[in-house]
């Protein structure tokens, strides 16, 4: 089950059924099944609190992924700052909805085992994000 909730912000205008199906499709391409994934959309102040409290980091970020996966079943909590998503969309001259979906799937890709902190990993993550976004835009058969 995939859930979507908010804390201090309005729910973004995403098509939940379509987004959920997309997330399941992307997970399947990595041989994974979706268990319990919870999305929490927040503002910058809240994600900074979460970053400080749970990770000891003192900076804003677009997403924090808490991984509770068991084997091939994806379980996790994903906290997304809509403020940072909007700032990044402007900074990188991207459409807000595309940037939001990129961040939504970024967390799932982490749950699938893709990292982005080591040498060359950022490029692998970006390629995986682009591949996943292409699935979202692909016409249904």
């Amino acid at each position: 089950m995939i859930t979507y909730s908010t804390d201090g912000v309005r729910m973004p205008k995403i098509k939940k059924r379509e987004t959920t199906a997309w997330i399941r499709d992307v997970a399947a391409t990595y041989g994974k099944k979706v268990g319990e994934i919870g999305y929490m959309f927040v503002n910058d102040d809240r994600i900074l609190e979460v970053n400080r409290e749970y990770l000891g980091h003192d900076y804003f970020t677009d997403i924090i992924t808490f991984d509770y996966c068991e084997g091939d079943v994806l379980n996790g909590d994903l906290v997304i700052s809509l403020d940072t998503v909007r700032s990044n969309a402007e900074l990188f001259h991207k459409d807000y909805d595309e940037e939001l979906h990129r961040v939504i799937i970024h967390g799932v890709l982490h749950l699938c085992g893709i990292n982005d902190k080591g040498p060359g990993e950022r490029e692998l993550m970006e390629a995986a994000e682009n591949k996943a976004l292409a699935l979202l835009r692909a016409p249904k058969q």
Side-chain angles (χ1 to χ4, degrees):
M1 173 190 279
I2 300 175
T3 59
Y4 305 90
S5 57
T6 62
D7 181 3
V9 297
R10 281 190 159 149
M11 181 63 70
K13 294 179 180 171
I14 56 173
K15 297 175 182 170
K16 292 179 190 171
R17 271 195 212 123
E18 182 180 305
T19 301
T20 295
W22 172 57
I23 291 166
R24 289 182 193 283
D25 290 347
V26 170
T29 67
Y30 292 91
K32 308 288 185 183
K33 292 182 180 170
V34 171
E36 300 285 330
I37 296 178
Y39 283 93
M40 173 67 72
F41 298 102
V42 301
N43 58 27
D44 271 351
D45 290 338
R46 183 69 182 114
I47 206 155
L48 183 58
E49 284 176 26
V50 171
N51 217 1
R52 286 175 176 158
E53 182 176 346
Y54 294 98
L55 302 177
H57 299 159
D58 192 26
Y59 54 81
F60 298 106
T61 187
D62 51 2
I63 185 168
I64 298 173
T65 303
F66 295 97
D67 185 339
Y68 312 120
C69 294
E70 296 176 7
D72 289 336
V73 179
L74 303 183
N75 297 295
D77 290 321
L78 301 117
V79 184
I80 295 176
S81 171
L82 296 179
D83 293 337
T84 299
V85 169
R86 186 168 306 287
S87 298
N88 285 346
E90 291 170 7
L91 180 67
F92 299 117
H93 307 289
K94 298 287 184 185
D95 177 74
Y96 171 77
D97 288 333
E98 180 178 340
E99 186 64 18
L100 178 58
H101 282 90
R102 179 178 297 279
V103 173
I104 286 170
I105 210 62
H106 181 93
V108 171
L109 293 169
H110 273 308
L111 296 179
C112 288
I114 299 173
N115 296 312
D116 60 355
K117 299 291 187 227
E121 290 179 338
R122 179 65 227 151
E123 293 79 4
L124 293 173
M125 175 62 84
E126 193 171 314
E129 290 169 353
N130 290 336
K131 183 178 168 189
L133 287 167
L135 280 178
L136 179 64
R137 291 187 292 261
K140 300 294 179 206
Q141 300 292 330

